[in-house]
Amino acid sequence: MVRGISILFVLFSIYICCLYSTKANANNDNDIYSLSLEELLNIPVSIATKNETSLAQSPSSVSLFTRDDIERLGLRTLGDLLTRVPGFYSMMDSVEGNLSHMVMRGHAQNYANTLLVLLNGQRINDDYTGGINYLIRYFSIRDASKIEVIRGPGSALYGSNAYSGVVNIITDSTPQISATLGSLGTSALYWSDKVSVADWELGASINFYRDQGENYHNVFDRSGLQTSTNDPKTVQQLNLTTKNDQSRIDFQYLHSKRQNYYLFRRLRDGVAEVELTHWTVYGSHQLLQNERWEVDISAGYQNATRESLSALAAGSPAPNPSPDFLFGIDLEYQSANIALDASYQFSDNVKFNLGSFLSTSEIPRSYLKSNFDIYGNEDYLGEVVTFDANDSQRTVLDMTRRIQSVYAQSEWQVTPQIAVTTGLRLDNYNDIDNALTPRLSLVHALDDNQGYKLIYAEAYRAPSLGDLYDEESGLTVGNQSLKANELTSMEAVYYWHGAQTAFTASLFASHHQHIVGRSNTDDLSFLANIGSNKARGLELQLKWQPSRHWLLQSDITRLFTNRTELAEGAEFTPSEVIAPQTYLNYEVHYTPSDWSFSLSGNWRSSVESLSKQDELLLINAHIIYRWSSNLRWQLSVKNLTDEQYFTSTYSPLGTDINNQPVQELPARGRQLNLELTFQL
């Protein structure tokens, strides 16, 4: 299959190059970075208020990634993007596994379940974990026209999981076809197109990706049977869109499969694999628009399945051989929602937003599978059997979550220089306590170039269906008495921008309460509210565009305080153990004529849980050559210096020969990809 794709890539390249053997004249107006700094700062964003406003006037700390940014940096997946957000530090392992987590302003929690991800305004987090990588991995952002990110709480608008951040991926595919070959046996094909039919625009895109994985050596194996592993993966993604001025319908299908590497914190090459299938359909329609009112209705449905298998216990070798104790979970998740959003222009200076949200979610299928009779006498069965004969064998109780929500927001332009935004949201749950989340912000423009923001916000992360209703998943036992994680956040922001330079400084203070984690009592491991955390820090961002061909930007996050207090019996890794105290992102970009060169990456200070207590600098390179107005070559190199490093895990993999916990995963080394793209 890989050889076949390679041949197709070469033939495709020869064909396109023959068509465009006469290179177009250099056109400095077609730089990949086509917007000036002032133009970028004036691009409207809507994630912070659901109303369009400029970045500077947004009543939250918001980052914006345009299509140019995504292409310039060679970002291809959601995981790639999250490494570029100020205040975020991605500890996603090389395969975005269950042990991954995101550090956001010092706070980290399993499954990255304190980050809400939206696709065209539709939430795609699952309610089983609350996170984004248990059922969805390797999410392609090739179709994104722009991506908006709130750095900080967003629950007053978006509810649960809009806790440490919110990401909204806004799609609008550009007609193109591309083929990629790379190291690790990487091959990929991407196609997108759109046509107009009457007053409707129809769009579609297809993405295929596969690689043979990195080869890791001298790895930790709690069973002591192997010292190496790899992480091959395949991905297929389909997106369909139809829209006009009033309505939009999106369909997305994503399937991924990963083999070997760590699963259930164990290694067993040739056995371990996880296969995920996720699809969603979403529609929206503008019911009313006039000088005062704008009313929209939307609805969505998503379904996901997860099939996994590994070895909980390794078998015995000769002369008394015994089979591996295989273990896996077959799980299905589904949810549906409907929402009504309205805005009312009360006067020239006052605008109100009102909305309601109804959703239901459940786990209709969740069963263990094994080659041993785990519900009987543990007899060997000879083959893997799914234990789904009756409800008593469910790994997650058959419970349905229903949420009814309302929110209100006001934007008041007190003076031409001062704007005040207030918001309040009430979420009513059928299985946990209700949540009331307020926010208040003030934006004061001191002049045309500078100003400050004062932001107070509260947020929460509802206990997930897994937190509440897990019975026996091989991990832990749920607790139906859990309280929601709660966050109180205060932030002071100063911003300044000129024609070529922009600078932002953000001081933040966060107080996390009722953190959910494992607790042990009488040899029983169950989930509980086990502690609190206080984090204080500073984010600095600098962007400098000395000419239309040069761009230099960087951001740094420094945590002054990151302290967790735990209850007795808590089995929990504090954020300060798995998060660096200081971390930064950087980019240097140069575009002479038809060429584009970028060096980017990140740096972090030491991480306590890692065996190698060193700072880490990662460098990525991205080169683009525009053969013509329709054709370009791209060379991407991740981890240019081939650093051999580890990422921290949320839970230990086991203990080493010295009885010390092992809490790190090997990350991929240098990766090279060559991509040829033709604009249709």
Side-chain angles (χ1 to χ4, degrees), residues 264-528:
F264 306 128
R265 293 180 286 168
R266 292 162 171 82
L267 286 176
R268 199 55 169 155
D269 286 4
V271 173
E273 71 174 31
V274 58
E275 187 170 0
L276 308 176
T277 302
H278 178 273
W279 64 272
T280 182
V281 60
Y282 169 66
S284 61
H285 179 68
Q286 188 175 78
L287 295 174
L288 175 66
Q289 184 180 35
N290 56 37
E291 293 181 355
R292 294 284 186 179
W293 283 97
E294 185 172 322
V295 182
D296 299 294
I297 188 171
S298 60
Y301 173 82
Q302 61 175 305
N303 180 281
T305 59
R306 175 187 170 99
E307 298 182 5
S308 57
L309 184 68
S310 188
L312 281 189
S316 302
N320 299 308
S322 63
D324 292 337
F325 188 107
L326 302 182
F327 171 89
I329 302 175
D330 285 353
L331 180 142
E332 181 181 4
Y333 166 77
Q334 62 185 21
S335 69
N337 66 73
I338 185 169
L340 189 68
D341 296 280
S343 63
Y344 176 65
Q345 190 72 48
F346 182 77
S347 66
D348 291 342
N349 298 323
V350 179
K351 189 171 189 176
F352 292 110
N353 286 76
L354 304 167
S356 62
F357 175 82
L358 304 174
S359 75
T360 178
S361 56
E362 60 183 352
I363 311 291
R365 178 168 60 87
S366 181
Y367 298 101
L368 297 182
K369 57 185 179 184
S370 178
N371 58 341
F372 283 80
D373 186 5
I374 56 179
Y375 288 101
N377 298 321
E378 296 192 357
D379 296 329
Y380 178 59
L381 301 175
E383 62 180 356
V384 175
V385 174
T386 300
F387 298 94
D388 57 358
N390 56 67
D391 283 345
S392 66
Q393 296 175 332
R394 293 182 61 90
T395 62
V396 184
L397 293 180
D398 186 14
M399 306 293 287
T400 299
R401 164 165 288 177
R402 290 180 293 275
I403 309 173
Q404 299 173 307
S405 309
V406 292
Y407 74 87
Q409 173 187 268
S410 70
E411 292 182 86
W412 179 24
Q413 194 70 43
V414 183
T415 70
Q417 293 78 34
I418 298 175
V420 175
T421 302
T422 59
L424 186 67
R425 179 176 173 123
L426 173 65
D427 292 277
N428 177 271
Y429 287 77
N430 67 317
D431 53 2
I432 61 170
D433 292 339
N434 298 340
L436 186 67
T437 46
R439 75 159 172 169
L440 172 65
S441 68
L442 180 146
V443 180
H444 184 187
L446 298 174
D447 54 41
D448 291 341
N449 299 100
Q450 64 177 327
Y452 66 87
K453 306 177 186 182
L454 301 176
I455 304 167
Y456 171 86
E458 297 180 14
Y460 76 102
R461 184 195 75 83
S464 67
L465 292 174
D467 292 339
L468 297 176
Y469 306 123
D470 262 356
E471 283 290 282
E472 182 50 65
S473 63
L475 303 174
T476 190
V477 177
N479 179 357
Q480 297 183 35
S481 300
L482 288 174
K483 297 180 180 179
N485 283 33
E486 294 178 354
L487 167 64
T488 302
S489 171
M490 291 180 287
E491 189 174 354
V493 181
Y494 170 78
Y495 66 88
W496 175 87
H497 62 83
Q500 298 174 314
T501 309
F503 171 77
T504 304
S506 304
L507 276 169
F508 59 86
S510 304
H511 185 198
H512 307 267
Q513 300 183 79
H514 309 310
I515 295 173
V516 174
R518 297 184 187 181
S519 185
N520 288 318
T521 303
D522 298 329
D523 296 325
L524 175 65
S525 178
F526 61 94
L527 291 174

Side-chain angles (χ1 to χ4, degrees), residues 177-281:
I177 183 170
S178 71
T180 303
L181 285 179
S183 59
L184 308 183
T186 297
S187 56
L189 290 170
Y190 171 77
W191 168 87
S192 65
D193 203 356
K194 57 185 177 182
V195 297
S196 296
V197 178
D199 60 343
W200 289 87
E201 181 181 277
L202 311 180
S205 69
I206 300 174
N207 181 59
F208 295 97
Y209 175 93
R210 68 179 298 167
D211 66 43
Q212 297 174 359
E214 178 75 83
N215 292 315
Y216 305 97
H217 302 285
N218 300 317
V219 297
F220 172 78
D221 175 21
R222 64 195 301 166
S223 300
L225 295 180
Q226 61 184 88
T227 59
S228 62
T229 189
N230 66 350
D231 56 4
K233 66 184 180 187
T234 60
V235 184
Q236 300 93 37
Q237 185 168 333
L238 168 68
N239 296 312
L240 302 173
T241 301
T242 177
K243 62 181 180 179
N244 62 16
D245 292 340
Q246 288 80 38
S247 304
R248 176 171 183 149
I249 301 174
D250 289 281
F251 172 84
Q252 178 178 270
Y253 170 86
L254 177 62
H255 176 267
S256 66
K257 186 175 184 179
R258 191 267 286 169
Q259 296 170 296
N260 302 335
Y261 204 69
Y262 289 94
L263 186 61
F264 306 128
R265 293 180 286 168
R266 292 162 171 82
L267 286 176
R268 199 55 169 155
D269 286 4
V271 173
E273 71 174 31
V274 58
E275 187 170 0
L276 308 176
T277 302
H278 178 273
W279 64 272
T280 182
V281 60

